[in-house]
Amino acid sequence: MDLDVFVAAHQAEWARLEQLLGRGRRLTGDEADELVALYQRTSTHLSLIQSSTPDPMLTGRLTQLVARARATVTGARRGGWRDAARFFTAGFPAAVYVSRRWWIPTALISLAVAVLMGWWIATHPEVQSAIGAPEDLKAMTKPGGEYETYYSSHPAASFAAQVWTNNAKAAAMCLVFGAFLGLPVLGILWVNMENLAAGIGLMGGADRLDVFLGLILPHGLLELTAVFVAAGTGLRLGWTVIDPGLRTRREALAEQGRAALGMAMGLTVVLFVSGLIEGFVTPSGLPTWARIAIGVAAEAAFLLYVYVLGGRAARAGEVGDVELADRAATLPTAA
């Protein structure tokens, strides 16, 4: 398609649509019908340009025009169950799916660091001594010790609520502090992996690593995945500060920030499920294999949710941002 010829052929229609939009509610019946027809045609023009001859400046202009026309034609939307359903079936899983190139490497590197640190603690008694006095460490790792009684030290409901609150706070910090070039996110990750490594190392050094894994895996798989998703999204937000792409830095941060806000709400639900497992399943009398199976099932369900629903929505153009009509108009900038 010859872009110059296409623009020359339809420039008048776009100008007329912009003129009608500028009149607001002062439209006659015929003008309102004309606006709807021009909106539909301009939407088609935008789709053709995006698929055949993408031009950043022209695409940005028509995107702005179509968004304004859609808002005028459809009127103000009211939030409700439909928006919530769209968020959980498309927006949130798509945002997690789109961010996978950030949170999957974050997860792999973080777990590798935790395992290496845990091995170092388990095989070096002097490191264990630096963590705590021998009698204190023995009290923590012995059968019936603090590591085992921790999960049943409070009533299940209050413990689940406490765990949920703490984990949601950590995830929110990762998302919020991502704007500071992602550096605080690395600190939050380090503290989490340090705590995990201490458990692996101390229980491994006491030859009770199997007990520790039986306690941490039921809830830890989903919980850590949520933390890694939050951390990866925060790091992505930090990178956007450095490299905003074909948008102004403000526009890029606004888009990523809106997606991160939605991610925070979605991860709150994921961490709620993890908290329920930690409060009711981990300290339960179920066999270890059954508790771990519940944790694996919850993790598998989340990953299927992300890769099936999220992948489908992402391929349809969903990125976890608010709907086009609700966004501020933006124009791409030159690279």
Side-chain angles (χ1 to χ4, degrees):
M1 181 174 71
D2 189 316
L3 188 59
D4 292 333
V5 172
F6 188 85
V7 171
H10 300 290
Q11 178 68 43
E13 292 176 298
W14 305 335
R16 175 58 177 167
L17 176 58
E18 194 160 13
Q19 180 185 21
L20 292 174
L21 290 173
R23 296 190 58 185
R25 297 179 180 274
R26 302 186 307 274
L27 295 176
T28 65
D30 290 340
E31 287 174 334
D33 291 339
E34 183 185 6
L35 188 147
V36 172
L38 288 172
Y39 158 60
Q40 293 172 336
R41 286 205 291 271
T42 304
S43 298
T44 302
H45 299 160
L46 176 60
S47 178
L48 287 172
I49 292 171
Q50 288 176 325
S51 61
S52 60
T53 315
D55 177 88
M57 295 301 293
L58 182 58
T59 299
R61 177 193 171 192
L62 293 185
T63 298
Q64 174 190 8
L65 196 56
V66 168
R68 289 176 58 199
R70 178 181 300 158
T72 300
V73 170
T74 60
R77 294 190 306 107
R78 295 181 180 178
W81 289 109
R82 184 175 180 180
D83 287 335
R86 174 188 171 275
F87 173 73
F88 283 108
T89 58
F92 173 58
V96 179
Y97 181 84
V98 170
S99 298
R100 70 193 185 283
R101 292 184 179 86
W102 285 90
W103 62 263
I104 290 178
T106 298
L108 295 177
I109 294 172
S110 298
L111 290 175
V113 168
V115 170
L116 287 174
M117 287 177 60
W119 169 82
W120 182 52
I121 294 171
T123 56
H124 291 75
E126 68 275 14
V127 178
Q128 298 176 30
S129 299
I131 295 175
E135 58 271 18
D136 293 334
L137 297 183
K138 184 176 181 180
M140 292 172 60
T141 58
K142 69 180 181 180
E146 293 178 21
Y147 267 116
E148 291 184 49
T149 59
Y150 168 75
Y151 296 102
S152 55
S153 57
H154 297 87
S158 62
F159 183 73
Q162 179 183 353
V163 167
W164 176 41
T165 302
N166 291 339
N167 289 333
K169 187 184 299 182
M173 289 171 64
C174 286
L175 293 167
V176 171
F177 291 148
F180 296 94
L181 300 181
L183 297 178
V185 177
L186 298 177
I188 295 170
L189 272 176
W190 177 261
V191 170
N192 277 271
M193 293 306 101
E194 201 173 38
N195 292 335
L196 178 60
I200 293 173
L202 294 177
M203 290 293 276
D207 293 325
R208 306 197 71 229
L209 182 60
D210 57 333
V211 175
F212 178 75
L213 294 178
L215 290 169
I216 200 72
L217 288 178
H219 64 273
L221 290 172
L222 189 59
E223 177 183 299
L224 285 175
T225 299
V227 171
F228 292 143
V229 169
T233 303
L235 292 173
R236 184 187 183 198
L237 183 60
W239 183 252
T240 301
V241 178
I242 300 171
D243 181 16
L246 296 177
R247 300 159 294 178
T248 66
R249 186 166 282 102
R250 180 177 179 179
E251 291 165 356
L253 281 174
E255 179 182 320
Q256 294 299 328
R258 290 191 299 265
L261 179 62
M263 191 86 80
M265 294 187 291
L267 289 178
T268 298
V269 177
V270 176
L271 288 168
F272 177 72
V273 175
S274 171
L276 289 178
I277 296 173
E278 188 168 359
F280 292 92
V281 176
T282 298
S284 71
L286 291 172
T288 300
W289 67 264
R291 288 186 280 113
I292 292 177
I294 291 173
V296 170
E299 174 74 358
F302 177 69
L303 293 178
L304 284 173
Y305 167 71
V306 169
Y307 276 85
V308 175
L309 286 183
R312 182 186 306 153
R315 287 187 290 273
E318 179 67 65
V319 294
D321 199 355
V322 297
E323 296 221 39
L324 185 62
D326 295 329
R327 304 176 201 171
T330 61
L331 284 174
T333 60

